Amino acid sequence: MAISTSTVPIARRRELPAAAALLLTIGGNILVLGIAALAMAGVAVAAVAVFGPGILDAL
């Protein structure tokens, strides 16, 4: 192995631990599900606001 005399620092490669990657994955999935639930609730509220009691009568 050759020893370098360069004064330029070489960045160390950082890797995410497996546990942290798993937690980020789970957290991301929960975030996506939460956004989807809010979107569906928003669509329901908008439908009631636009169509009014006709939707409630149909149920």
Side-chain angles (χ1 to χ4, degrees):
M1 186 169 136
I3 297 175
S4 173
T5 58
S6 174
T7 59
V8 177
I10 298 173
R12 243 180 84 199
R13 184 174 171 185
R14 296 182 185 175
E15 292 188 15
L16 206 58
L22 181 65
L23 288 175
L24 283 173
T25 302
I26 293 171
N29 286 338
I30 290 172
L31 182 63
V32 166
L33 290 175
I35 291 171
L38 286 175
M40 290 189 331
V43 168
V45 168
V48 169
V50 170
F51 298 110
I55 291 178
L56 298 175
D57 292 338
L59 296 177

Coordinates of all heavy atoms in Angstrom, one line a residue:
M1 N 0.8 -1.2 0.0 CA 0.0 0.0 0.0 C 0.9 1.2 0.0 O 1.8 1.4 0.8 CB -0.9 0.0 1.2 CG -1.9 1.1 1.3 SD -3.1 0.7 2.6 CE -3.2 2.3 3.3
A2 N 0.6 2.1 -0.9 CA 1.4 3.4 -1.0 C 0.9 4.4 0.0 O -0.3 4.6 0.2 CB 1.4 3.9 -2.4
I3 N 1.8 5.1 0.6 CA 1.4 6.2 1.5 C 1.4 7.5 0.7 O 2.3 7.8 -0.1 CB 2.5 6.3 2.6 CG1 2.5 5.0 3.4 CG2 2.2 7.5 3.5 CD1 3.5 5.0 4.5
S4 N 0.3 8.2 0.8 CA 0.1 9.4 0.1 C 0.7 10.6 0.9 O 0.6 10.7 2.1 CB -1.4 9.7 -0.1 OG -1.6 10.9 -0.7
T5 N 1.3 11.5 0.1 CA 1.8 12.8 0.8 C 0.9 13.9 0.5 O 1.3 15.1 0.8 CB 3.2 13.1 0.2 OG1 3.1 13.2 -1.2 CG2 4.2 11.9 0.6
S6 N -0.3 13.7 -0.1 CA -1.2 14.8 -0.4 C -1.8 15.4 0.9 O -2.0 14.7 1.9 CB -2.4 14.2 -1.2 OG -3.3 15.2 -1.4
T7 N -2.0 16.7 0.9 CA -2.5 17.4 2.0 C -4.0 17.5 1.9 O -4.7 18.1 2.8 CB -1.9 18.8 2.2 OG1 -2.2 19.5 1.0 CG2 -0.4 18.7 2.4
V8 N -4.6 17.0 0.8 CA -6.1 17.1 0.6 C -6.7 16.0 1.4 O -6.4 14.9 1.3 CB -6.4 17.0 -0.9 CG1 -7.9 17.0 -1.1 CG2 -5.7 18.0 -1.7
P9 N -7.6 16.4 2.3 CA -8.3 15.4 3.1 C -9.2 14.5 2.3 O -9.9 15.0 1.4 CB -9.1 16.2 4.2 CG -9.3 17.5 3.5 CD -8.1 17.8 2.6
I10 N -9.2 13.3 2.5 CA -10.1 12.4 1.8 C -11.3 12.1 2.7 O -11.2 11.7 3.9 CB -9.4 11.0 1.5 CG1 -8.2 11.3 0.6 CG2 -10.4 10.0 0.9 CD1 -7.3 10.1 0.3
A11 N -12.5 12.3 2.2 CA -13.7 12.2 3.0 C -14.0 10.7 3.3 O -13.8 9.8 2.4 CB -14.9 12.7 2.2
R12 N -14.3 10.4 4.5 CA -14.6 9.0 4.9 C -16.0 8.7 4.5 O -16.9 9.5 4.6 CB -14.5 8.9 6.4 CG -13.4 8.0 6.9 CD -13.4 7.9 8.4 NE -14.4 6.9 8.8 CZ -14.9 6.9 10.0 NH1 -14.5 7.7 10.9 NH2 -15.8 6.0 10.4
R13 N -16.2 7.5 4.0 CA -17.5 7.1 3.6 C -18.3 6.7 4.8 O -17.9 5.9 5.6 CB -17.4 5.9 2.7 CG -18.7 5.5 2.1 CD -18.6 4.4 1.1 NE -19.9 3.8 0.8 CZ -20.1 2.8 0.0 NH1 -19.0 2.2 -0.6 NH2 -21.2 2.4 -0.3
R14 N -19.5 7.4 5.0 CA -20.3 7.1 6.1 C -21.5 6.2 5.7 O -22.2 6.6 4.7 CB -20.8 8.4 6.7 CG -19.7 9.2 7.3 CD -20.3 10.5 7.9 NE -19.3 11.4 8.3 CZ -19.5 12.6 8.8 NH1 -20.7 13.0 8.9 NH2 -18.4 13.3 9.2
E15 N -21.8 5.2 6.4 CA -22.9 4.4 6.1 C -23.9 4.4 7.3 O -23.5 4.5 8.4 CB -22.5 2.9 5.9 CG -21.6 2.8 4.6 CD -21.4 1.3 4.3 OE1 -22.0 0.5 4.9 OE2 -20.5 1.1 3.5
L16 N -25.2 4.3 6.9 CA -26.2 4.3 7.9 C -26.3 2.9 8.6 O -26.3 1.9 7.9 CB -27.5 4.6 7.2 CG -28.7 5.3 8.0 CD1 -28.2 6.6 8.6 CD2 -29.8 5.6 7.0
P17 N -26.4 2.9 9.9 CA -26.6 1.6 10.5 C -27.9 1.0 10.1 O -28.9 1.7 9.7 CB -26.6 1.9 12.0 CG -26.0 3.3 12.1 CD -26.2 4.0 10.8
A18 N -28.0 -0.3 10.1 CA -29.2 -1.1 9.7 C -30.4 -0.7 10.5 O -31.5 -0.5 10.0 CB -29.0 -2.6 9.8
A19 N -30.3 -0.5 11.8 CA -31.4 -0.1 12.6 C -31.9 1.3 12.3 O -33.1 1.5 12.2 CB -31.0 -0.1 14.1
A20 N -31.0 2.2 12.0 CA -31.5 3.6 11.6 C -32.2 3.5 10.2 O -33.2 4.2 10.0 CB -30.2 4.5 11.5
A21 N -31.7 2.7 9.3 CA -32.3 2.6 8.0 C -33.7 2.0 8.2 O -34.6 2.5 7.5 CB -31.5 1.7 7.1
L22 N -33.9 1.0 9.0 CA -35.2 0.4 9.3 C -36.1 1.4 9.9 O -37.3 1.5 9.4 CB -35.0 -0.8 10.2 CG -36.3 -1.5 10.5 CD1 -36.9 -2.2 9.3 CD2 -36.1 -2.6 11.6
L23 N -35.7 2.2 10.8 CA -36.5 3.2 11.4 C -36.9 4.3 10.4 O -38.1 4.8 10.5 CB -35.8 3.9 12.7 CG -35.7 3.0 13.9 CD1 -34.9 3.7 15.0 CD2 -37.1 2.6 14.4
L24 N -36.0 4.7 9.6 CA -36.3 5.7 8.6 C -37.4 5.2 7.6 O -38.2 5.9 7.1 CB -35.1 6.1 7.8 CG -34.2 7.1 8.6 CD1 -32.9 7.4 7.8 CD2 -34.9 8.4 8.8
T25 N -37.2 3.9 7.2 CA -38.2 3.3 6.3 C -39.6 3.2 6.9 O -40.6 3.6 6.3 CB -37.7 1.8 6.0 OG1 -36.4 1.9 5.4 CG2 -38.6 1.2 5.0
I26 N -39.6 2.8 8.2 CA -40.9 2.7 8.9 C -41.5 4.1 9.0 O -42.7 4.3 8.8 CB -40.8 2.0 10.2 CG1 -40.4 0.5 10.0 CG2 -42.0 2.1 11.1 CD1 -40.0 -0.2 11.3
G27 N -40.7 5.1 9.4 CA -41.2 6.4 9.6 C -41.7 7.0 8.3 O -42.7 7.7 8.2
G28 N -41.0 6.7 7.2 CA -41.4 7.2 5.9 C -42.7 6.6 5.4 O -43.6 7.3 4.9
N29 N -42.9 5.3 5.7 CA -44.2 4.7 5.3 C -45.3 5.2 6.2 O -46.4 5.4 5.6 CB -44.1 3.1 5.6 CG -43.2 2.5 4.5 OD1 -43.0 3.0 3.4 ND2 -42.7 1.3 4.8
I30 N -45.1 5.5 7.4 CA -46.1 6.1 8.3 C -46.5 7.5 7.7 O -47.7 7.8 7.7 CB -45.7 6.1 9.7 CG1 -45.6 4.7 10.3 CG2 -46.6 7.0 10.6 CD1 -45.0 4.6 11.7
L31 N -45.5 8.2 7.3 CA -45.7 9.6 6.8 C -46.6 9.5 5.5 O -47.5 10.3 5.4 CB -44.4 10.3 6.5 CG -44.5 11.7 6.0 CD1 -45.1 12.6 7.1 CD2 -43.1 12.2 5.7
V32 N -46.3 8.6 4.6 CA -47.0 8.4 3.4 C -48.5 8.0 3.7 O -49.4 8.6 3.1 CB -46.3 7.4 2.5 CG1 -47.2 7.0 1.3 CG2 -45.0 7.9 1.9
L33 N -48.7 7.1 4.6 CA -50.0 6.7 5.0 C -50.8 7.8 5.6 O -52.0 8.0 5.3 CB -50.0 5.5 5.9 CG -49.5 4.2 5.3 CD1 -49.4 3.1 6.4 CD2 -50.5 3.7 4.2
G34 N -50.1 8.6 6.4 CA -50.8 9.8 7.0 C -51.2 10.8 6.0 O -52.3 11.4 6.0
I35 N -50.3 11.1 5.0 CA -50.7 12.0 3.9 C -51.8 11.5 3.1 O -52.7 12.3 2.7 CB -49.4 12.3 3.1 CG1 -48.4 13.1 3.9 CG2 -49.8 13.1 1.8 CD1 -47.0 13.2 3.2
A36 N -51.8 10.2 2.8 CA -52.9 9.6 2.0 C -54.2 9.7 2.8 O -55.3 10.0 2.2 CB -52.6 8.2 1.7
A37 N -54.2 9.5 4.1 CA -55.4 9.6 4.9 C -56.0 11.0 4.9 O -57.2 11.2 4.8 CB -55.2 9.1 6.3
L38 N -55.1 12.0 5.1 CA -55.5 13.4 5.0 C -56.1 13.8 3.7 O -57.0 14.5 3.6 CB -54.3 14.3 5.4 CG -53.9 14.4 6.9 CD1 -52.7 15.2 7.0 CD2 -55.1 14.9 7.7
A39 N -55.5 13.2 2.6 CA -56.0 13.5 1.3 C -57.4 12.9 1.1 O -58.3 13.6 0.5 CB -55.0 12.9 0.2
M40 N -57.6 11.7 1.6 CA -58.9 11.1 1.4 C -60.0 11.9 2.3 O -61.1 12.1 1.8 CB -58.9 9.7 1.9 CG -58.2 8.8 0.9 SD -58.2 7.0 1.1 CE -58.5 6.7 2.8
A41 N -59.6 12.3 3.5 CA -60.5 13.1 4.3 C -60.8 14.5 3.6 O -61.9 14.9 3.7 CB -59.9 13.3 5.7
G42 N -59.8 15.0 3.0 CA -60.0 16.3 2.3 C -61.0 16.1 1.1 O -61.8 17.0 0.8
V43 N -60.9 15.0 0.4 CA -61.8 14.8 -0.7 C -63.2 14.6 -0.2 O -64.2 15.1 -0.8 CB -61.3 13.5 -1.5 CG1 -62.4 13.0 -2.5 CG2 -60.0 13.8 -2.3
A44 N -63.3 13.9 0.9 CA -64.7 13.7 1.5 C -65.3 15.0 1.9 O -66.5 15.2 1.7 CB -64.6 12.7 2.7
V45 N -64.5 15.8 2.5 CA -65.0 17.1 3.0 C -65.4 18.0 1.8 O -66.4 18.7 1.8 CB -64.0 17.9 3.9 CG1 -64.3 19.3 4.1 CG2 -63.8 17.1 5.2
A46 N -64.6 18.0 0.7 CA -64.9 18.7 -0.5 C -66.1 18.2 -1.1 O -66.9 19.0 -1.6 CB -63.7 18.7 -1.4
A47 N -66.3 16.9 -1.2 CA -67.5 16.3 -1.8 C -68.8 16.8 -1.0 O -69.8 17.1 -1.6 CB -67.4 14.8 -1.8
V48 N -68.7 16.8 0.3 CA -69.9 17.2 1.1 C -70.1 18.7 0.8 O -71.3 19.1 0.7 CB -69.6 16.9 2.6 CG1 -70.7 17.6 3.4 CG2 -69.7 15.4 2.8
A49 N -69.0 19.5 0.8 CA -69.2 20.9 0.5 C -69.8 21.2 -0.8 O -70.6 22.1 -1.0 CB -67.9 21.6 0.7
V50 N -69.4 20.4 -1.8 CA -69.9 20.7 -3.2 C -71.3 20.1 -3.4 O -72.2 20.8 -3.9 CB -68.9 20.1 -4.2 CG1 -69.5 20.2 -5.6 CG2 -67.6 20.9 -4.2
F51 N -71.5 18.9 -3.0 CA -72.8 18.2 -3.4 C -73.8 18.3 -2.2 O -75.0 18.0 -2.4 CB -72.5 16.7 -3.7 CG -71.7 16.6 -4.9 CD1 -70.4 16.1 -4.8 CD2 -72.1 16.9 -6.2 CE1 -69.6 16.0 -6.0 CE2 -71.4 16.8 -7.3 CZ -70.1 16.3 -7.2
G52 N -73.4 18.7 -1.1 CA -74.3 19.0 0.0 C -75.0 17.8 0.5 O -74.4 16.7 0.5
P53 N -76.2 17.9 1.0 CA -76.9 16.8 1.6 C -77.3 15.7 0.7 O -77.8 14.7 1.1 CB -78.1 17.5 2.2 CG -78.2 18.8 1.6 CD -76.9 19.2 1.0
G54 N -77.2 15.9 -0.6 CA -77.5 14.8 -1.6 C -76.7 13.6 -1.3 O -77.2 12.4 -1.5
I55 N -75.5 13.7 -0.9 CA -74.6 12.6 -0.6 C -75.1 11.9 0.6 O -75.2 10.6 0.7 CB -73.2 13.0 -0.4 CG1 -72.6 13.5 -1.8 CG2 -72.3 11.9 0.1 CD1 -71.2 14.0 -1.7
L56 N -75.5 12.6 1.6 CA -76.0 12.0 2.9 C -77.3 11.3 2.7 O -77.5 10.3 3.3 CB -76.1 13.1 4.0 CG -74.8 13.8 4.4 CD1 -75.0 14.9 5.4 CD2 -73.8 12.8 4.9
D57 N -78.1 11.8 1.8 CA -79.4 11.1 1.5 C -79.2 9.8 0.8 O -79.9 8.9 0.9 CB -80.3 12.1 0.7 CG -80.8 13.3 1.5 OD1 -80.8 13.2 2.7 OD2 -81.2 14.3 0.9
A58 N -78.1 9.8 -0.1 CA -77.8 8.6 -0.9 C -77.3 7.5 0.0 O -77.5 6.3 -0.3 CB -76.8 8.9 -1.9
L59 N -76.7 7.9 1.2 CA -76.2 6.8 2.1 C -77.4 6.3 2.9 O -77.5 5.2 3.3 CB -75.2 7.4 3.0 CG -73.9 7.9 2.4 CD1 -73.0 8.6 3.5 CD2 -73.2 6.8 1.7

